[in-house]
Amino acid sequence: MNRKGLEEKRNDLKSQMSALLETAKTEQRAMSDAEVKQFDELEQEIREINETIEREEKTMNKNIDTRNEVEIRESEQFVNYIRDVIENRAEVNLAKGSNGAIIPTTIAKKVIAKAYDMSSILKDATKYNTKGNLAIPVYDNSANDMSMAYAEEFTDLESKVGNFTSVNLGNFLAGALVKLSNSLVANTDIDLENKVIELMAEAVARFQERECLYGTDGKVQGLRGVTLKHTTASASVLTAEDLIKTKNMVKKGFRKNAKWIMSNDTLTAIELLKDGEDRFIFREDLSGEFDGYILGYPVEVSDNMKEIGASADVIYFGDFSGLALKQKDDAIEMQVLRERFATQHATGITAWVDFDAKVEHTQKIAKVTMGA
């Protein structure tokens, strides 16, 4: 029942209570036991309606803190650590790690979750929430050698199966640095916790997405492990044929959740392309969820993708659950750098994470590489 309905019902109940009192008064008698019971029941129902309305008002005014005691305590210690507030209670002291203070679990998970939301690649990758080294068994049937065939009774079946290999994920330490003005840090009217979470998540997402897309020698491999590759005939021009061939490199069974990843300039070039029947291959996404559709599959733009140029990997297509991302979502260490940026009237905050990313399913993702 909505607010108006509750108020109307409350007024009706009050009228019933008044009628009971008026009846007894008119008859010049005390209220009977039955009338007293009914009166008390009406009064209780009115009290419950008042409490419901009060709860609704609190919710509308955002006065309800739905966090549990642990979340509230960890939020306080996180903000106090940034503001350099001295805490005497042992239970709110942040533990020390090799790279600084270990962020409370609830805060760390918020940073990682927000980072994933900021990046399509990070969000779609298959997550492994662990800190140690990890070997993922991978079934390789790229040769299509697993089959079913007709057979005769009392005749042995010939075994045709793929091979099991493994993808090994390690630990690579990376740090992200953000700076906050000291005025913002000191301002108690600002939601410092969410502001820091947002800035840290943005820095983590930007770095990890770039590493997932292109990797670094001797560090995270990322999508360097993609083996399905289409190379264009030109070093500077993409054609509709290039995109069609790339799409068809990924088998239909793996294209259900596929999408395109490219830079904004690459998308601009593609928007003018037509297929063999003179139809534009790009379609607008009226819902606004994606940056458009190419050949029926959604497009997402990434600022980390390379622009069109000689030998550059400019487009990825496929189901990005084929990328394995190993990272402990509650293990982030942080340092607050007060003196380093003191002359800028700013406070630096570093976030340290261990992660790794590699392709674990080579048949799910293809890429477009520009010609030399």
Side-chain angles (χ1 to χ4, degrees), residues 111-248:
V111 173
I112 297 301
K114 196 169 187 66
Y116 289 164
D117 287 341
M118 290 178 174
S119 168
S120 176
I121 294 292
L122 300 179
K123 180 171 59 178
D124 293 345
T126 299
K127 314 295 191 308
Y128 294 94
N129 185 21
T130 181
K131 190 173 179 62
N133 293 329
L134 179 66
I136 306 169
V138 176
Y139 182 75
D140 182 10
N141 187 38
S142 56
N144 295 316
D145 54 2
M146 185 172 64
S147 62
M148 185 174 185
Y150 288 107
E152 299 294 335
E153 290 184 340
F154 307 111
T155 301
D156 290 337
L157 285 173
E158 182 181 353
S159 176
K160 294 184 177 181
V161 296
N163 299 316
F164 277 98
T165 58
S166 66
V167 171
N168 298 311
L169 296 171
N171 294 294
F172 295 104
L173 179 67
L177 171 64
V178 299
K179 287 193 293 184
L180 298 172
S181 73
N182 287 342
S183 297
L184 186 148
V185 172
N187 191 341
T188 56
D189 293 331
I190 299 293
D191 188 346
L192 185 60
E193 175 190 336
N194 284 328
K195 185 63 177 178
V196 172
I197 287 174
E198 180 182 357
L199 292 173
M200 291 174 67
E202 183 180 354
V204 169
R206 186 167 55 247
F207 175 79
Q208 288 191 344
E209 182 185 80
R210 183 173 68 250
E211 292 305 292
C212 284
L213 290 171
Y214 294 109
T216 297
D217 291 339
K219 299 293 184 179
V220 172
Q221 185 183 78
L223 292 178
R224 287 188 178 193
V226 169
T227 57
L228 300 178
K229 181 176 77 169
H230 169 72
T231 303
T232 66
S234 169
S236 58
V237 177
L238 277 168
T239 66
E241 183 179 338
D242 291 324
L243 299 175
I244 293 170
K245 287 182 177 180
T246 303
K247 172 181 73 75
N248 290 336

Side-chain angles (χ1 to χ4, degrees), residues 64-97:
I64 296 179
D65 192 339
T66 58
R67 298 175 299 173
N68 60 39
E69 184 178 346
V70 173
E71 290 178 300
I72 294 173
R73 186 175 69 249
E74 291 190 345
S75 174
E76 290 175 349
Q77 72 179 70
F78 178 68
V79 171
N80 287 341
Y81 177 61
I82 296 172
R83 288 187 169 135
D84 200 22
V85 175
I86 303 300
E87 288 284 355
N88 295 321
R89 293 178 297 167
E91 67 270 18
V92 298
N93 289 331
L94 278 70
K96 297 295 182 182

